């Protein structure tokens, strides 16, 4: 049994000064003892947080970061961005995908994320045909997570249509497309790869109500009666309008009329959910997977989080397009979007509570539920996923307990994450992933070839 | 004459590979020659940008960063935040103010700002009486800028009332309050202090239309016929409502009916400007001083920048409350606020243009105008204010020219600023201000005393 002593830790019972963790061979916390630092036990100075789940990632999009900020036509939008993404994805082979994913996962670990939900829709070869192993690219994402040491819940995507009503896919989507039989074969290999990794998990991801018919969705959920189910929904106004035109219902209404929403479900974005849809998601105990930085970058709009959280709606955060991977910036943007919308401060915190703490706790629990992770936090039974903030930094001067979290999220806390442990193994030291140099060098070659071309 | 060779530089004529600058004894650029690196000349690798003006700062508020993110009453807002600020300001003596300002200015330099506009309203002693030298705290800000080497345009604030119609000031405002005679004495000392610093400039700042009567504003502008004039205006809906109730006009209408708006003017926030007010500001050539991160943090709301920029309205950025000092994050939030409001991408860039480049150029010119700086940019006659981005970082892999700016602003470009020069003198090296250790240690003592208490 390994031991670690934390000078200060955020536990489910609140902040504790001086706790010693015993970590089992399975990487889980076997005991938590409040005591002053015992001799001969490795000591984590500063303030230690539990690692956050990043519930929504498209890892390969990390390679596009900063390349789509050029104005296109007069109504540059999510849809023009999507054309960029289709072009970029066309150039990647399996080694490229793995190299870029490993870079993204290195940056996630450095940001304080210890598990990623990979919403994985890039399945086929460049010509649109499945690889010899249809799970080839799924395996590459598990391999990238394994190399960086972070946990992964692999969410292979079922994607069959280009629009509502079963419209035929377009050529730009050829690498994503499947039918249910093909998806079942792919999922078999993907789930086997995930199970073979100690920190691997598995779920499914019907892409969206526009890419999957109601019949396909019903059959898909029937084929996979357990584990997380993620879906993109109500991200764009045009998507809501098209859904109303095709089905006379809004996307989340249509989803709820097609399947039984429950705690297995994670609805990604839900930006344009109306009051009835928000109430339905909250009642179901489903998680709304917010991706604040990407939603800002893509011009999605503003989710009414104040209303949703007032109904005890469950939320988590995801880095989605990976344009700028930062857990603290993601939490800040989550709150700032609500302040823009409500013109209030501390819009998501109950009276007297820290916004940083409120959002951190909510996203730890919501992200854990959405990724099927079970116990979370610095507590017995949870994985020893630890994020150490360097509170010697001036950003934290005279900041105590929750003010440490608020200063990390909202303040000038550049480079605050000093060490990160996953399953009790240190993967980040001195603010940098221990394998960053090699992973960065490999990714650089790929980016120079794919973009430089 | 000193010389510096820049491997890559953003000049008014665009990106140039290989330019040698000659820098005069006055710290200004005397010549720009395109050539490959000459022997024996210091060489700046990476991509060099001109230093950005930070047109709006309340330096002492840096000390509060992260301390106000706790939910207050059920309508926590700008006004509850202001109560926090009034309490904090009550505890600061002149040494404290200078120590916190120096820390803020160190962080500004590290972020890529080379001049600050200090909108300075903290004038009086704790009991509300002027210091023996009424310009005591003005001098402290100039001293802090001088210690860190950055430029400062000192903008002492005239503040006389707590609300529209000349309402008497309240006790929380006692350290800010002046009458016109007292302000004239203060301004005399403040302008002398600014003139005594090679990188010092001077302007005036009537606090807001609620803190200054129309008659006082007219007389004030008459007393100071030259130099920048800054004013907080239309930041909050309540301010607009109170102005309409008291004067039957919106704040920017009232301002324009009271004084002649022109290029001397910088209107800070202007968040709730209506179409007529935006058109009036654009016609006048006045700068709108946007403070995107602070406006997000304070729940101010969304300025209609797409409409304003379509009229060639002039903008600049400021760090205002200094909650998180970052030029790249400020530019990103400027654009993201517009994307939230318009649900478009690249909302502020003309077709085919980079958003990062468009915003950088706009804020360099607008900030320079607002702070009365004259020539800006890497060009003959401008100060040798240089910000070197470390383009060896993976964030910039295969990024060229404007994509370097877009990746800095929107991408994963943590710690991208490697060196900063002000008037040809290096103040930031290896990403850290050369005096950070001493300035940080002094500020830490102050913060621990003031906050820890």
């Amino acid at each position: 049994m390994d031991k670690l002593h934390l000078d200060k830790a955020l536990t489910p019972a609140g902040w504790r000064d001086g706790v010693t963790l015993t970590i089992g061979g399975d990487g889980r916390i076997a005991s938590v003892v409040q005591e002053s630092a015992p001799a001969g036990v490795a000591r984590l100075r500063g303030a230690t947080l539990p690692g956050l789940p990043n519930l929504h990632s498209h890892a390969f999009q990390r390679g596009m970061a900063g390349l789509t900020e050029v104005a296109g036509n007069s109504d540059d939008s999510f849809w023009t961005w999507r054309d960029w993404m289709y072009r970029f994805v066309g150039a990647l082979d399996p080694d490229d995908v793995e190299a870029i994913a490993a870079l993204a996962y290195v940056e996630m670990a450095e940001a304080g994320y210890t598990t990623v939900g990979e919403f994985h829709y890039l399945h086929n070869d460049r010509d649109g045909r499945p690889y010899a192993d249809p799970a080839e690219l799924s395996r590459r994402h598990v391999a990238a997570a394994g190399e960086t040491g972070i946990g992964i819940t692999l969410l292979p995507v079922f994607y069959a249509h280009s629009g509502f009503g079963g419209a035929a896919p377009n050529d730009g989507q050829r690498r994503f497309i499947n039918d249910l039989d093909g998806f079942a074969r792919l999922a078999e290999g993907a789930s086997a790869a995930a199970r073979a990794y100690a920190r691997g998990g598995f779920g499914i991801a019907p892409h969206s109500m526009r890419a999957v018919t109601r019949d396909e969705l019903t059959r898909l959920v029937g084929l996979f009666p357990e584990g997380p189910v993620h879906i993109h929904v109500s991200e764009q106004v045009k998507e809501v309008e098209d859904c109303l035109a095709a089905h006379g219902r809004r996307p989340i209404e249509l989803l709820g009329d097609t399947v039984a929403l429950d705690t297995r479900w994670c609805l990604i974005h839900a930006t344009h959910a109306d009051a009835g849809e928000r109430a339905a998601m909250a009642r179901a105990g489903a998680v709304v997977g917010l991706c604040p930085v990407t939603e800002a970058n893509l011009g999605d709009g503003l989710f009414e989080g104040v209303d949703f959280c007032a109904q005890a709606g469950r939320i988590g955060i995801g880095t989605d397009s990976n344009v700028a991977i930062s857990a603290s910036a993601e939490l800040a943007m989550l709150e700032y979007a609500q302040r823009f919308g409500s013109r209030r401060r501390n819009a998501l915190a109950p009276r007297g509570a820290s916004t940083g703490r409120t959002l951190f706790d909510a996203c730890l629990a919501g992200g854990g539920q959405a990724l099927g992770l079970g116990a979370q936090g610095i507590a017995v039974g949870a994985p020893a996923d630890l994020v150490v903030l360097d509170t010697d930094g001036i950003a934290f001067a005279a900041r105590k307990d929750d003010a440490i979290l608020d200063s990390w999220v909202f303040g000038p806390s550049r480079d605050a994450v000093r060490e990160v442990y996953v399953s009790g193994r240190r993967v980040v030291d001195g603010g940098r992933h221990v394998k960053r140099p090699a992973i960065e060098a490999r990714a650089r070659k790929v980016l120079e070839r794919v973009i430089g071309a």
Side-chain angles (χ1 to χ4, degrees), chain A:
Chain A
M1 298 280 245
D2 292 340
K3 281 176 180 279
L4 286 173
H5 181 80
L6 320 181
D7 279 359
K8 186 176 191 64
L10 179 62
T11 76
W15 289 96
R16 293 290 180 267
D17 290 325
V19 297
T20 302
L21 307 183
T22 309
I23 301 164
D26 60 357
R28 294 187 176 271
I29 298 170
S31 71
V32 180
V33 177
Q34 262 192 274
E35 63 183 354
S36 50
V41 172
R43 180 173 173 184
L44 306 189
R45 298 175 192 279
T48 299
L49 308 171
L52 270 177
N54 171 11
L55 61 63
H56 190 68
S57 164
H58 306 293
F60 77 85
Q61 293 179 17
R62 165 62 182 81
M64 300 165 57
L67 295 179
T68 66
E69 310 306 328
V70 174
N73 59 38
S74 59
D75 56 356
D76 199 336
S77 69
F78 169 85
W79 308 102
T80 43
W81 173 86
R82 196 180 68 159
D83 296 338
W84 273 91
M85 184 267 287
Y86 284 3
R87 281 197 298 278
F88 183 75
V89 81
L92 303 176
D93 69 25
D95 288 345
D96 302 336
V97 169
E98 183 172 345
I100 297 171
L103 175 64
Y105 297 164
V106 157
E107 293 178 351
M108 288 175 197
E110 291 175 351
Y113 295 114
T114 48
T115 307
V116 60
E118 185 61 36
F119 193 107
H120 169 58
Y121 60 84
L122 177 55
H123 299 312
N124 301 327
D125 206 341
R126 296 191 197 184
D127 60 8
R129 275 179 295 200
Y131 286 96
D133 172 0
E136 174 71 33
L137 295 179
S138 292
R139 295 182 191 280
R140 297 303 194 119
H141 284 85
V142 176
E147 183 180 11
T148 59
I150 71 169
I152 184 170
T153 295
L154 185 65
L155 300 157
V157 171
F158 176 68
Y159 198 133
H161 309 286
S162 65
F164 291 96
N170 62 48
D171 185 59
Q173 298 163 337
R174 67 189 181 280
R175 300 193 71 176
F176 320 150
I177 295 302
N178 243 312
D179 59 25
L180 280 171
D181 293 342
F183 181 77
R185 283 190 297 275
L186 187 164
E188 192 178 346
S191 60
R195 277 196 310 273
Y197 175 40
R199 285 301 302 263
F202 182 80
I204 57 167
H207 179 274
S208 58
M209 295 306 283
R210 63 178 194 274
V212 180
T213 64
R214 297 183 68 188
D215 175 60
E216 288 164 339
L217 182 59
T218 309
R219 288 161 58 202
L220 183 69
V221 174
L223 284 172
F224 297 89
E226 291 178 350
V229 187
H230 288 222
I231 187 167
H232 290 132
V233 69
S234 208
E235 178 175 10
Q236 286 287 321
V237 170
K238 178 177 184 301
E239 171 195 349
V240 176
E241 292 166 349
D242 293 351
C243 188
L244 282 163
H247 296 281
R249 279 163 289 187
R250 305 171 63 83
I252 296 167
E253 289 178 290
L254 184 67
L255 174 63
D257 290 347
T258 308
V259 296
L261 289 180
D262 59 21
T263 55
R264 289 178 69 193
W265 284 82
C266 180
L267 281 60
I268 303 298
H269 307 306
T271 309
H272 301 290
D274 70 8
E277 292 176 312
R278 291 193 298 273
M281 295 186 290
R283 272 196 310 272
V287 172
V288 170
L290 299 169
C291 308
V293 170
T294 296
E295 289 155 4
N297 184 272
L298 296 186
D300 289 345
L302 295 166
F303 174 69
E304 290 195 22
V306 174
D307 170 77
F308 185 66
C309 291
Q311 303 174 60
R314 302 176 189 188
I315 61 171
I317 51 169
T319 59
D320 195 356
S321 68
N322 296 308
V323 62
I325 295 169
S326 165
S328 55
E330 211 70 65
L331 291 168
M333 188 66 83
L334 167 58
E335 168 70 13
Y336 285 163
Q338 298 307 312
R339 295 186 190 187
F340 280 128
S342 67
R343 298 206 292 252
R344 287 173 42 201
R345 300 193 73 246
N346 300 304
L348 294 176
R351 184 171 186 165
S354 144
T355 294
R357 172 72 182 278
T358 300
L359 297 182
F360 188 91
D361 289 350
C363 294
L364 178 67
Q369 175 181 318
L371 298 184
L373 301 181
Q376 291 288 286
I378 300 176
V380 172
D385 294 354
L386 308 171
V387 174
V388 186
L389 300 182
D390 179 6
T391 51
D392 294 339
I394 189 72
F396 300 103
R399 273 63 177 166
K400 295 184 182 61
D401 297 349
D402 289 348
I404 293 170
L405 264 174
D406 286 330
S407 295
W408 180 50
V409 171
F410 299 104
S413 61
R414 177 175 142 186
D415 296 336
V417 174
R418 193 185 62 220
E419 292 176 77
V420 177
Y421 291 74
V422 184
S423 295
R425 272 185 47 235
R426 183 162 61 186
V427 298
V428 171
D429 189 15
R432 291 289 184 267
H433 192 282
V434 294
K435 295 185 181 173
R436 180 181 259 278
I439 288 170
E440 202 179 280
R442 188 179 58 188
R444 180 185 298 278
K445 285 203 189 75
V446 170
L447 294 174
E448 285 170 351
R449 197 196 80 240
V450 172
I451 298 163

